[in-house]
Amino acid sequence: MVASRGAGDGPGFAVAPRPLSSRPSVLALVGAGGFLGTLCRWGLRRLVGERGGWPLATLVVNLVGAFVLGLLLEALSHHRDEGLRRALRLGLGTGFCGALTTYSTFAVEVVMLADGGNRLLALLYPCVTVAGGLLLALAGVLLAGRGSRAQRGAATAPGAVGDAAIGGRAAGQGPAGRGRAARAADPGRTARGAGGGSAERPARGGRAARGERGGR
């Protein structure tokens, strides 16, 4: 709880916003993503298993998770972390990918390979996992960045700019817009109108003065 008093406020306390980690909706979102990620990892393990001594299922889920995380976080980094984007980050990034990938199982498998006498595979397996994960995460970042640049380019394309200009011209077709356009087309009209009014006032003053002398 954080004390908060402003100008003109009475004494009191303002409760600080609850952190995301303690909000039930966020916990439910991460939990649902984690449940789906765990199911996918279990299904891949049953489907793929081991091939030639390689713990292929763990390798696949870690590489796929690295790619998805790179793609997702780069795509979301260009926008505010709120609403649907925050839900995607928490549900798909933290929940799903966090449960899909497993470095604890990866570490246990490396130790089991080394203890089983397969020292070469125990050396290659972590190298392929780490290097492959970094490369795939980078590929996801590059792919998401390319998509973001293409989206920004489409928004600033000549057609989009032309549509905005047409919309502006359409907005200027009303009475006020036509009046502004007429004044812009003939700026002398405004000057003549102002000058005519000024010349008319002295002329009226002269006629009044002559009438007064005639009366005398």
Side-chain angles (χ1 to χ4, degrees):
M1 184 175 292
V2 179
S4 174
R5 294 187 61 181
D9 293 340
F13 291 90
V15 179
R18 296 178 64 181
L20 289 178
S21 58
S22 65
R23 298 180 187 179
S25 60
V26 171
L27 295 177
L29 185 63
V30 174
F35 175 74
L36 294 176
T38 302
L39 283 181
C40 288
R41 178 155 61 94
W42 175 81
L44 279 172
R45 193 171 188 85
R46 292 289 300 268
L47 181 65
V48 177
E50 294 186 1
R51 302 291 174 87
W54 280 83
L56 195 58
T58 305
L59 178 65
V60 168
V61 296
N62 284 334
L63 295 181
V64 170
F67 175 77
V68 173
L69 275 177
L71 180 71
L72 175 69
L73 296 182
E74 174 63 20
L76 296 178
S77 67
H78 299 282
H79 307 280
R80 294 175 61 88
D81 184 38
E82 59 186 10
L84 178 61
R85 296 183 182 92
R86 176 178 289 176
L88 285 173
R89 178 178 65 82
L90 294 172
L92 185 57
T94 304
F96 181 82
C97 289
L100 177 69
T101 57
T102 168
Y103 274 81
S104 57
T105 304
F106 159 71
V108 170
E109 289 170 344
V110 171
V111 172
M112 292 178 62
L113 288 172
D115 289 345
N118 200 338
R119 302 295 177 86
L120 179 61
L121 189 58
L123 181 63
L124 289 177
Y125 177 44
C127 291
V128 171
T129 298
V130 174
L134 289 173
L135 289 176
L136 284 173
L138 178 60
V141 169
L142 293 177
L143 183 60
R146 182 177 180 181
S148 298
R149 288 192 296 272
Q151 187 176 10
R152 290 195 297 270
T156 58
V161 175
D163 292 342
I166 291 171
R169 287 197 298 270
Q173 293 303 312
R178 287 194 294 271
R180 288 193 298 270
R183 289 193 296 272
D186 188 7
R189 181 189 303 173
T190 303
R192 289 194 300 271
S198 300
E200 186 179 356
R201 284 193 294 273
R204 289 176 180 172
R207 287 197 295 271
R210 287 195 298 273
E212 184 179 354
R213 286 196 296 270
R216 293 197 186 115

